[in-house]
Amino acid sequence: MTGRPVTLGLLHTSSVHVPVFEELRDAGHPELGLRHHVVEDLLARARQEGPDAVAIDVRAALVRAAEGGAAAVLCTCSTIGGVAETVGADIGVPVVRVDRPMAAAAVAAGPRVVVLATVASTVGPTSALIEDEARRAGRDVSVRAEVVDGAWERFEAGDSEGYAEGVARAVRGVRNADAIVLAQASMAGAESLVPDVRERVPVLSSPRLGLASAAALALG
């Protein structure tokens, strides 16, 4: 590539996502520059007040993430992803929610989709997204959702291994599903812990699929 590198802006609500997306970029999209913008209180407020309550601040954060000539912005937080798509429509660059490609893959896998989340505020937006993707695809889908008890407390305590294992236990307990969706980007670490489950049903997380979609958009 010649000239100025293409840059993708990323809006995170936790700094733990920065190295995850850096590693995915290095592995799959080394030609892409990343610009990270972290606003941790957006998730806390969205959990307490609802995603729509932080819409104005989400838009401001997207604008910040797009600074410096970003070709697109990827919102890595599932709770505010729908709001980001809506309020980011007029910021001058495309806004991608990290979980939309994952939702499309779940719909393609079959009609019985189980959503696992570690914060309750993610259940509604993720379920609605899967139903939206089903409508786009002209498919019928049944979405069941479960919040993994105690997992988020481990995440907030910095216990990434305990967090991932808690999610993995919940994955192993799922029955009668055509796809299992790990609703939040932070849950992706559990994927590698359940190879036995993945042999019989797709276990989907958002970071790799979301970054690939945003990278394709940015790189044109």
Side-chain angles (χ1 to χ4, degrees):
M1 176 179 285
T2 59
R4 186 176 181 180
V6 175
T7 300
L8 174 70
L10 294 94
L11 171 60
H12 307 291
T13 54
S14 173
S15 60
V16 302
H17 298 316
V18 173
V20 172
F21 283 91
E22 287 285 333
E23 182 176 341
L24 289 170
R25 183 277 312 274
D26 292 346
H29 316 280
E31 71 278 31
L32 183 67
L34 300 184
R35 183 181 188 277
H36 302 278
H37 182 48
V38 181
V39 188
E40 295 191 348
D41 74 322
L42 286 176
L43 176 57
R45 290 173 52 210
R47 290 179 65 196
Q48 292 177 350
E49 306 168 34
D52 290 339
V54 296
I56 292 174
D57 292 325
V58 168
R59 187 185 187 283
L62 291 170
V63 171
R64 286 287 304 277
E67 287 177 353
V73 176
L74 177 64
C75 176
T76 67
C77 176
S78 297
T79 294
I80 64 170
V83 171
E85 277 188 327
T86 300
V87 302
D90 65 348
I91 69 168
V93 298
V95 173
V96 179
R97 61 184 292 179
V98 72
D99 49 354
R100 186 171 285 281
M102 173 181 67
V107 169
R112 301 172 301 172
V113 179
V114 172
V115 173
L116 297 180
T118 59
V119 292
S121 62
T122 304
V123 169
T126 301
S127 299
L129 175 62
I130 293 167
E131 290 164 356
D132 181 50
E133 285 296 322
R135 283 191 294 272
R136 292 185 179 199
R139 294 172 178 260
D140 292 325
V141 68
S142 171
V143 181
R144 303 185 345 250
E146 176 185 335
V147 177
V148 184
D149 288 339
W152 189 249
E153 288 76 11
R154 289 188 176 275
F155 179 83
E156 291 185 312
D159 180 6
S160 58
E161 290 185 6
Y163 178 65
E165 182 52 47
V167 173
R169 281 196 298 271
V171 170
R172 296 186 194 105
V174 172
R175 299 291 183 269
N176 302 316
D178 296 306
I180 300 172
V181 168
L182 306 182
Q184 295 141 240
S186 61
M187 302 169 73
E191 245 187 301
S192 63
L193 302 180
V194 289
D196 51 330
V197 178
R198 293 167 64 195
E199 288 180 358
R200 58 180 173 82
V201 61
V203 178
L204 303 170
S205 63
S206 60
R208 180 179 56 82
L209 295 173
L211 181 62
S213 177
L217 196 59
L219 294 167

